[in-house]
Amino acid sequence: MAIFSVYVVNKAGGLIYQLDHYAPRADTEKTFSFPLDLVLRPHDERVVVAFGQRDGIRVGHAVLAINGAEVNGRLTADGKDVLEFLSNPANYPVSIRFGRHRLSSNEKLMLASMFHSLFAIGSQLSPEVGSSGIEMLETDTFKLHCFQTLTGTVSAAWLGGGAVTELGLPHASVVVAPGIKFMVLADPRQAGIDALLRKIYEIYSDYALKNPFYSLEMPIRCELFDQNLKLALEVAEKAGPFGPGS
Amino acid sequence: SRELLVLTYGALVAQLCKDYEKDEDVNTCLDRMGYGIGVRLIDDFLARSAVKKCHSYSETADVIAQVAFKMYLGVTPSVSCSSAAGNEFSLILDKNPLVDFVEELPAERASLCYCNLLCGVIRGALEMVHLAAEVTFLQDRLKGDAVTEIGITFLRKAEDRKHKRN
């Protein structure tokens, strides 16, 4: 799948819509005997593979389940610490499922707000006034495309009291008010994302804004929006230089 | 399908007249409804018309008249600037599709602004692109004037004006 996900961030920086469009990555489940030849270490709230890549278990994969029971962060289903459990030879042989950890909704919310702040910094750093802000973020595994609507106009609020700077001008505070951001994470080779972002804007203005029961800036919970967005993603994938299933 | 819109609008105004005694209340209500429509319509307009950001009030007024009115109502009003400061504009409509079936206002509703919804829409849309404006009817054919004229007064211009706040 060439388009991985779509995020919509409102004016205040909160995530109002998120869609994951990639095929679920294969999880790998294997039976191990003591001692474990993978090096595991705790990372955030999970236990991840640090070294010892083999057989489809890559560095960075998290422990998802032990003996069929899903782990809860760093604790097993019974409440025992995962690393302790795996360092005890009495528990072997053990079957562990590894896989890429999927972001939780809280993490997505946080990351979206962080991107919103970075975007604001990007616009302010621009040497030209009225910059479009960050349009694309490129890495080796994906490209993040961002489109902001209603590019913020600068409104200057003059502080009262006649206070002046040395130049004789009244003090001013400059406020840039941003619009809604649409972000698409896609394969680096996928083309036509600009057109897709415009299309998503149209779909948003049709199915979210015209829905009388949808309040502005709130999470988007419109069936029609979901359906049409998925259709648009499929069309964009088919039209790209690489067919689906790359 | 424009007829349906015109008929619906007429029914809306008629119902409001039944609900409210005073003309000002009806006008305010229409303006508020228009505002709600405007804040949503602006995104639809920007998505479909792909106009670039306007850098001056006269450009904005032109875009409203030539692109927006054409897109949604099918008419193109003419724009004229009516103040030296460059922040007051009028849109002059020879043909207003919303009043196709209305001859004149009834006697007891002499100060009703029949198309006040349009004012609200323009006000709401401009506010979403951070341009505060006051929009009113300067002339109305239903009240006996020759043409229908909508006046847009932009309230606060960024960066240029160097007036001190009192």
Side-chain angles (χ1 to χ4, degrees):
Chain A
M1 288 287 177
I3 297 181
F4 302 134
S5 33
V6 177
Y7 291 74
V8 182
V9 177
N10 70 8
K11 295 188 176 58
L15 186 67
I16 57 175
Y17 184 78
Q18 200 279 323
L19 176 72
D20 283 327
H21 195 59
Y22 44 80
R25 315 269 164 103
D27 298 335
T28 327
E29 182 149 18
K30 287 216 160 348
T31 314
F32 297 92
S33 53
F34 193 79
L36 201 58
D37 53 358
L38 299 163
V39 176
L40 298 175
R41 65 177 174 87
H43 175 75
D44 286 346
E45 284 304 310
R46 313 184 284 278
V47 176
V48 298
V49 176
F51 204 73
Q53 198 157 288
R54 53 169 257 194
D55 293 341
I57 302 172
R58 319 259 316 258
V59 169
H61 276 197
V63 173
L64 296 180
I66 292 188
N67 291 332
E70 295 222 346
V71 306
N72 190 356
R74 283 203 237 158
L75 306 174
T76 65
D78 310 334
K80 297 200 266 290
D81 185 66
V82 168
L83 289 170
E84 255 180 63
F85 185 84
L86 291 175
S87 58
N88 185 350
N91 295 319
Y92 284 79
V94 70
S95 144
I96 312 178
R97 180 152 53 99
F98 290 93
R100 191 143 156 52
H101 175 78
R102 236 167 286 299
L103 289 170
S104 74
S105 359
N106 272 347
E107 286 173 338
K108 287 178 188 164
L109 275 167
M110 213 174 53
L111 292 172
S113 317
M114 267 199 265
F115 183 77
H116 170 86
S117 314
L118 285 176
F119 189 98
I121 295 174
S123 318
Q124 304 243 9
L125 283 175
S126 160
E128 298 279 321
V129 175
S131 152
S132 73
I134 298 178
E135 283 189 342
M136 187 177 49
L137 202 80
E138 185 171 350
T139 74
D140 55 349
T141 46
F142 74 92
K143 265 191 194 165
L144 182 154
H145 299 253
C146 180
F147 170 64
Q148 180 177 256
T149 70
L150 303 178
T151 48
T153 54
V154 175
S155 68
W158 304 98
L159 298 176
V164 294
T165 64
E166 307 79 57
L167 298 171
L169 298 167
H171 278 295
S173 61
V174 169
V175 171
V176 179
I180 294 218
K181 283 185 258 305
F182 297 97
M183 283 138 59
V184 169
L185 271 70
D187 192 283
R189 297 159 296 178
Q190 177 76 26
I193 300 289
D194 266 350
L196 174 66
L197 283 169
R198 302 273 179 286
K199 185 88 182 86
I200 297 180
Y201 188 25
E202 269 184 39
I203 295 176
Y204 166 76
S205 73
D206 274 342
Y207 298 106
L209 289 184
K210 291 186 185 153
N211 181 345
F213 301 114
Y214 168 66
S215 337
L216 289 178
E217 311 296 311
M218 288 290 120
I220 302 178
R221 301 247 177 279
C222 312
E223 269 300 318
L224 287 173
F225 180 75
D226 282 339
Q227 288 168 10
N228 282 278
L229 184 61
K230 289 186 179 127
L231 274 177
L233 291 181
E234 266 150 40
V235 165
E237 282 178 344
K238 289 202 174 66
F242 293 86
S246 56
Chain B
S1 76
R2 186 144 286 149
E3 272 204 13
L4 184 58
L5 168 69
V6 177
L7 288 172
T8 310
Y9 188 72
L12 176 74
V13 178
Q15 185 61 43
L16 281 176
C17 287
K18 284 203 194 90
D19 290 340
Y20 294 101
E21 286 277 332
K22 294 161 73 172
D23 292 346
E24 294 79 49
D25 289 339
V26 179
N27 290 341
T28 318
C29 207
L30 282 173
D31 188 75
R32 224 182 15 226
M33 286 197 278
Y35 180 80
I37 296 178
V39 299
R40 291 166 184 252
L41 203 65
I42 180 67
D43 270 317
D44 182 77
F45 171 65
L46 288 174
R48 282 179 213 294
S49 66
V51 292
K52 294 278 171 286
K53 189 167 150 192
C54 290
H55 290 110
S56 72
Y57 288 147
S58 62
E59 223 182 302
T60 315
D62 281 336
V63 163
I64 295 177
Q66 283 151 19
V67 189
F69 265 85
K70 187 145 175 26
M71 198 190 276
Y72 293 113
L73 287 175
V75 293
T76 311
S78 53
V79 184
S80 71
C81 177
S82 55
S83 89
N87 60 332
E88 282 178 27
F89 293 89
S90 338
L91 301 174
I92 302 178
L93 284 147
D94 324 308
K95 208 171 78 75
N96 184 354
L98 289 178
V99 302
D100 269 350
F101 302 130
V102 183
E103 276 201 7
E104 54 178 30
L105 295 173
E108 64 271 11
R109 292 280 175 196
S111 60
L112 175 71
C113 292
Y114 188 80
C115 297
N116 219 24
L117 196 92
L118 287 182
C119 292
V121 171
I122 298 177
R123 186 168 67 85
L126 285 174
E127 194 171 304
M128 289 299 271
V129 283
H130 317 296
L131 289 170
E134 265 176 28
V135 188
T136 47
F137 270 96
L138 297 174
Q139 294 187 74
D140 197 345
R141 198 179 252 149
L142 289 179
K143 294 185 185 154
D145 299 318
V147 291
T148 309
E149 189 178 340
I150 301 179
I152 307 178
T153 310
F154 291 98
L155 289 177
R156 207 178 28 135
K157 194 167 174 167
E159 295 162 331
D160 278 23
R161 277 213 302 250
K162 287 184 167 51
H163 71 270
K164 292 203 200 73
R165 224 216 285 179
N166 296 330

